[in-house]
Amino acid sequence: MNSESTSEIKLNHPESEVTQQTVTTSQEQENSTLTEDSGDTAVQSEEVNVAVLAQLAQEIESLKMQLEDRNTQYMRIAADFENYRKRTSREKEELDIQVKRNTIIELLPVVDNFERARAHLKPQKEGEMAIHKSYQGVYKQLVDSLKRLGVSPMRPEGQVFDPNLHEAVMREPTNEHPEGTVLEELVRGYYFGDRVLRHAMVKVAAPPEDVSSNSDPQEE
């Protein structure tokens, strides 16, 4: 019996080795399969990450373009608004100047009448002197108001005639002044700031007239 048992054990021993080898081979195949699956999963995960990063990069680039477009629109709108503000400010200033100019022009004939009265009236009596001082006070108040508004008189006497400032209404031949010199201001001109409010009407020097003596021809 012992010999048979021993024989059986010896006979069964190779089978156990085969079984163990089979199990080992099966485990190695499973491990290899798991390794391949893990490798495939890693590759797929990496591909997904690359695709996600590419999509994010595309979205970031799109957002950058939108931001640049919005910034461009904002700068354009800001520039248009600034131009509009400057234009409306200039138009308002020009309108204010035009309104003041038209109002002052209406007052200039009053100033002219005061000046004519001062030049021609020669008060003699005490009552006349009182009236003279009274309207001269009104004249001074009016002139001071015009000065505060930026009105200043021209002083063209002795200057060269300038058609941008003067209007020649008389010419006087003379040897004392060069031709084109303003000899007299007949109606006062005024500036409004640096602009001409009213041209001065002036008398201008002209070259002297040649006086030629005509002699009768002698008859032989």
Side-chain angles (χ1 to χ4, degrees):
M1 235 177 120
N2 290 333
S3 61
E4 291 178 359
S5 300
T6 304
S7 176
E8 290 177 359
I9 292 172
K10 289 181 180 180
L11 291 172
N12 293 333
H13 181 68
E15 294 178 357
S16 63
E17 290 180 354
V18 171
T19 304
Q20 185 176 0
Q21 290 178 356
T22 303
V23 171
T24 302
T25 303
S26 176
Q27 289 178 350
E28 289 178 352
Q29 290 177 353
E30 290 178 359
N31 291 336
S32 176
T33 303
L34 291 174
T35 302
E36 291 178 356
D37 292 342
S38 299
D40 293 341
T41 303
V43 170
Q44 292 176 356
S45 177
E46 184 177 356
E47 290 177 352
V48 170
N49 290 336
V50 171
V52 170
L53 290 175
Q55 183 178 0
L56 290 175
Q58 185 177 2
E59 291 179 358
I60 291 173
E61 189 66 25
S62 176
L63 290 174
K64 285 183 179 180
M65 293 179 63
Q66 292 180 15
L67 180 60
E68 291 178 359
D69 184 60
R70 295 296 186 273
N71 287 335
T72 302
Q73 292 180 4
Y74 170 76
M75 295 298 293
R76 186 182 299 112
I77 293 172
D80 291 342
F81 177 77
E82 183 65 17
N83 292 334
Y84 169 77
R85 187 187 65 79
K86 291 180 179 179
R87 184 174 64 255
T88 54
S89 179
R90 288 194 301 267
E91 290 175 353
K92 182 179 180 299
E93 291 177 0
E94 188 65 27
L95 181 60
D96 291 342
I97 291 173
Q98 189 64 32
V99 170
K100 289 180 181 179
R101 183 177 182 276
N102 293 339
T103 303
I104 293 169
I105 288 176
E106 293 295 326
L107 295 175
L108 291 182
V110 179
V111 179
D112 295 338
N113 291 332
F114 273 111
E115 292 179 347
R116 292 190 189 98
R118 184 176 61 177
H120 292 89
L121 295 179
K122 304 296 181 182
Q124 300 294 331
K125 298 179 182 180
E126 185 176 352
E128 294 174 350
M129 290 295 297
I131 296 174
H132 180 75
K133 289 180 180 180
S134 177
Y135 79 75
Q136 286 300 313
V138 176
Y139 167 74
K140 184 178 183 304
Q141 184 179 4
L142 179 58
V143 170
D144 290 342
S145 298
L146 293 177
K147 286 181 180 179
R148 286 193 295 271
L149 291 173
V151 179
S152 58
M154 294 182 183
R155 305 295 181 186
E157 289 90 348
Q159 298 179 1
V160 178
F161 174 79
D162 184 351
N164 296 317
L165 305 176
H166 313 135
E167 181 180 351
V169 294
M170 292 182 64
R171 289 170 59 87
E172 181 177 311
T174 179
N175 289 321
E176 298 179 359
H177 301 279
E179 182 181 3
T181 302
V182 176
L183 301 177
E184 182 182 356
E185 184 182 43
L186 304 176
V187 178
R188 180 163 295 176
Y190 290 93
Y191 294 106
F192 182 43
D194 57 352
R195 305 183 184 187
V196 175
L197 181 62
R198 186 177 72 180
H199 290 72
M201 295 184 181
V202 298
K203 179 168 63 177
V204 182
E209 297 177 356
D210 293 335
V211 179
S212 60
S213 59
N214 296 326
S215 59
D216 295 335
Q218 296 180 357
E219 296 180 359
E220 294 182 353

